[in-house]
């Protein structure tokens, strides 16, 4: 829902109901992940996507129907062997989409969700998408780390969903939870979709050089909150890095240590060291490789890499810590320009996130989409 949240909020504020289709579960080679959404306005405008084009037409019709008074509905779309181009996914995947009417009456707490997302406060929206009692379908529970808004009318159900939703929120996962009709841990009949809204992951780029400018553009495009940091004030300026969310003048290792002490690093954080200077890159790599961050990469030749490893070993880093270092940084794409290098680094990030191999799809077998 994040991709249509601004438009949804605008319509909600204006008192205009919309039909909202949300991907709640995927199987096999589904083109969009859980949480992808498409809304349909009362005047027939469609915003967003749930499948990259395969089933948008069918979801559009369903959204129009719920706007016209039909109840919310969970529907599965898959491929049909007899007629693959009918309402289904020609890629062979399967997606479950929940279609509902959203307005001030059906979702009175939407403004709280929007405010949390804009303030980068983690929140999970838990929605009943299937239940033997049709009257409960569409009921919602909003879960923050320290408070809850709403409920399903059953303390047992609420308690079970709150515990599980907080676990999913902590790991940044969205997906479907299944329980017995009263929230029993064992059983079936109740399906709750938990849509986790967490702050964007961070990309920390050290070294105010032209490659950093290209990486800041790429990181922003991929949805990261990008920081460029360099100790040299003349180079670390907002003018040189307009697409970075922030530009910091500080010694890289000091900045990283302060961010870690403030609890602003996590397993989704990507650290990129592009300085090419041992007095900058060795201290910050020593700091990064001892932190619980998701990715640490460093630019440089293989000769530079070998020299870095020697210096880092002298600082006492273990072989396990050194094994976390992606250096030389990026995938082997033959990149030469800063922009091509940024694509190479982004490709490595994506491959590591989803378990991709970085090979040409035309030369590989098996599923296109990976599920780590």
């Amino acid at each position: 829902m994040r991709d249509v949240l601004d438009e949804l909020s605008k319509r909600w504020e204006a008192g205009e109901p919309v039909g909202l289709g949300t991907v709640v579960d995927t199987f096999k080679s589904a083109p969009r992940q859980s949480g992808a959404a498409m809304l349909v306005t009362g005047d027939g405008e469609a915003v967003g996507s749930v499948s990259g084009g395969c089933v948008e037409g069918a979801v559009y019709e369903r959204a129009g129907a719920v706007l016209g008074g039909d109840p919310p509905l969970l529907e599965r779309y898959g491929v049909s062997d007899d007629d693959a181009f009918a309402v289904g996914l020609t890629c062979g995947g399967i997606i479950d989409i929940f279609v509902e009417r959203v307005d001030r009456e059906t979702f009175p707490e939407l403004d709280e969700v929007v405010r949390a997302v804009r303030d980068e406060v983690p929140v999970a929206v838990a929605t009943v998408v299937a239940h033997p009692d049709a009257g409960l379908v569409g009921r919602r529970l909003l879960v923050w780390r320290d408070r809850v808004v709403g409920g399903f009318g059953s303390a047992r159900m609420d308690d079970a969903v709150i515990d599980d939703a907080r676990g999913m929120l902590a790991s940044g996962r969205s997906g479907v939870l299944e329980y017995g009709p009263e929230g029993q841990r064992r059983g079936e009949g109740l399906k709750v979709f938990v849509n986790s809204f967490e702050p964007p992951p961070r990309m920390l780029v050290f070294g105010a050089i032209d490659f950093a400018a290209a990486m800041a553009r790429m990181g922003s495009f991929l949805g990261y909150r990008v920081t460029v940091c360099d100790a040299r004030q003349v180079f670390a300026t907002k003018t040189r890095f307009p697409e970075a969310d922030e530009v910091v003048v500080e010694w890289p290792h000091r900045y990283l240590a302060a961010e870690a002490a403030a609890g602003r690093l996590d397993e989704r954080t990507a650290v990129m060291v592009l300085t090419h200077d041992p007095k900058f890159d060795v201290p910050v790599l020593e700091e990064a490789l001892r932190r619980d961050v998701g990715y640490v990469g460093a630019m440089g030749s293989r000769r530079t890499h070998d020299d870095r490893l020697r210096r880092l070993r002298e600082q006492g880093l273990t072989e396990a810590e050194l094994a976390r270092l992606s250096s030389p940084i990026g995938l082997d794409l033959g990149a030469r320009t800063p922009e091509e290098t940024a694509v190479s680094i982004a490709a490595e990030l994506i491959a590591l996130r989803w378990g991709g191999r970085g090979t040409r799809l035309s030369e590989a077998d098996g599923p296109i989409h990976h599920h780590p």
Side-chain angles (χ1 to χ4, degrees):
M1 190 168 71
R2 186 189 292 270
D3 47 351
V4 300
L5 195 59
D6 287 343
E7 184 67 23
L8 182 62
S9 175
K10 184 175 74 173
R11 301 283 177 167
W12 186 91
E13 290 283 355
E16 300 176 25
V18 301
L20 181 68
T22 304
V23 177
V24 300
D25 213 350
T26 65
F27 311 89
K28 300 182 181 177
S29 294
R32 299 297 306 275
Q33 296 299 308
S34 295
M38 182 179 82
L39 65 82
V40 177
T41 66
D43 54 8
E45 181 183 358
V47 179
S49 172
V50 289
S51 71
C54 301
V55 301
E56 258 72 5
V59 175
Y60 183 91
E61 295 297 326
R62 290 292 187 189
V66 299
L67 274 175
D70 281 8
L73 176 70
L74 178 65
E75 189 146 34
R76 174 164 293 182
Y77 296 92
V79 68
S80 164
D81 292 335
D82 296 328
D83 187 3
F85 290 93
V87 178
L89 298 173
T90 55
C91 62
I94 299 171
I95 55 176
D96 287 347
I97 297 178
F98 183 64
V99 186
E100 60 182 323
R101 176 188 173 108
V102 174
D103 56 30
R104 286 178 174 270
E105 182 178 348
T106 63
F107 200 163
E109 314 91 350
L110 179 64
D111 59 335
E112 293 194 64
V113 176
V114 172
R115 188 160 52 249
V117 172
R118 289 175 178 167
D119 291 344
E120 297 189 357
V121 176
V123 61
V125 179
T127 306
V128 175
V129 296
H131 194 280
D133 180 355
L136 287 178
V137 175
R139 292 280 292 273
R140 252 176 285 268
L141 182 67
L142 275 54
V143 181
W144 283 265
R145 289 171 178 167
D146 57 354
R147 67 186 183 99
V148 174
V149 172
F152 304 131
S154 163
R156 181 177 187 177
M157 190 187 306
D158 289 353
D159 289 345
V161 173
I162 290 168
D163 285 345
D164 291 340
R166 282 191 171 137
M168 295 177 72
L169 182 61
S171 61
R173 293 183 297 115
S174 296
V176 173
L177 302 171
E178 295 193 46
Y179 308 92
E182 295 299 321
Q184 304 95 318
R185 290 291 181 179
R186 295 183 179 181
E188 57 185 20
L190 167 63
K191 290 186 177 182
V192 177
F193 173 59
V194 176
N195 201 352
S196 294
F197 295 92
E198 56 186 355
R202 300 190 66 192
M203 178 179 288
L204 308 181
V205 182
F206 295 104
I209 62 175
D210 50 356
F211 287 91
M215 199 65 242
R217 290 193 294 274
M218 179 60 71
S220 178
F221 177 72
L222 292 176
Y224 284 87
R225 181 176 181 81
V226 181
T227 298
V228 175
C229 175
D230 197 300
R232 301 166 296 179
Q233 186 171 9
V234 67
F235 297 120
T237 66
K238 188 64 177 176
T239 302
R240 296 189 69 227
F241 302 97
E243 278 147 309
D245 293 283
E246 61 178 349
V247 179
V248 176
V249 179
E250 177 59 281
W251 280 82
H253 69 286
R254 292 176 183 168
Y255 173 76
L256 191 61
E259 292 298 286
R264 289 192 284 265
L265 306 180
D266 60 29
E267 67 278 359
R268 301 179 304 145
T269 302
V271 175
M272 296 165 187
V273 179
L274 312 181
T275 49
H276 285 112
D277 188 335
K279 71 175 178 291
F280 289 111
D281 58 20
V282 171
V284 74
L285 285 172
E286 179 185 355
E287 187 71 38
L289 292 170
R290 287 174 169 161
R291 300 294 179 181
D292 186 21
V293 296
Y295 174 88
V296 182
M299 182 180 288
S301 67
R302 297 197 185 280
R303 181 177 178 180
T304 299
H305 170 68
D306 291 341
D307 180 65
R308 277 200 202 105
L309 291 183
R310 178 183 61 79
R311 293 171 183 267
L312 290 168
R313 287 189 180 102
E314 290 174 354
Q315 296 302 314
L317 269 75
T318 67
E319 294 305 312
E321 289 169 335
L322 292 174
R324 299 179 55 216
L325 176 60
S326 293
S327 174
I329 197 170
L331 294 187
D332 180 12
L333 304 183
R336 293 181 179 271
T337 68
E339 290 74 19
E340 289 174 346
T341 302
V343 171
S344 166
I345 298 170
E348 183 177 36
L349 279 174
I350 295 167
L352 290 172
R353 177 183 180 187
W354 296 111
R357 297 180 294 273
T359 55
R360 297 181 67 188
L361 289 173
S362 63
E363 298 175 355
D365 297 320
I368 293 175
H369 300 288
H370 296 264
H371 302 278

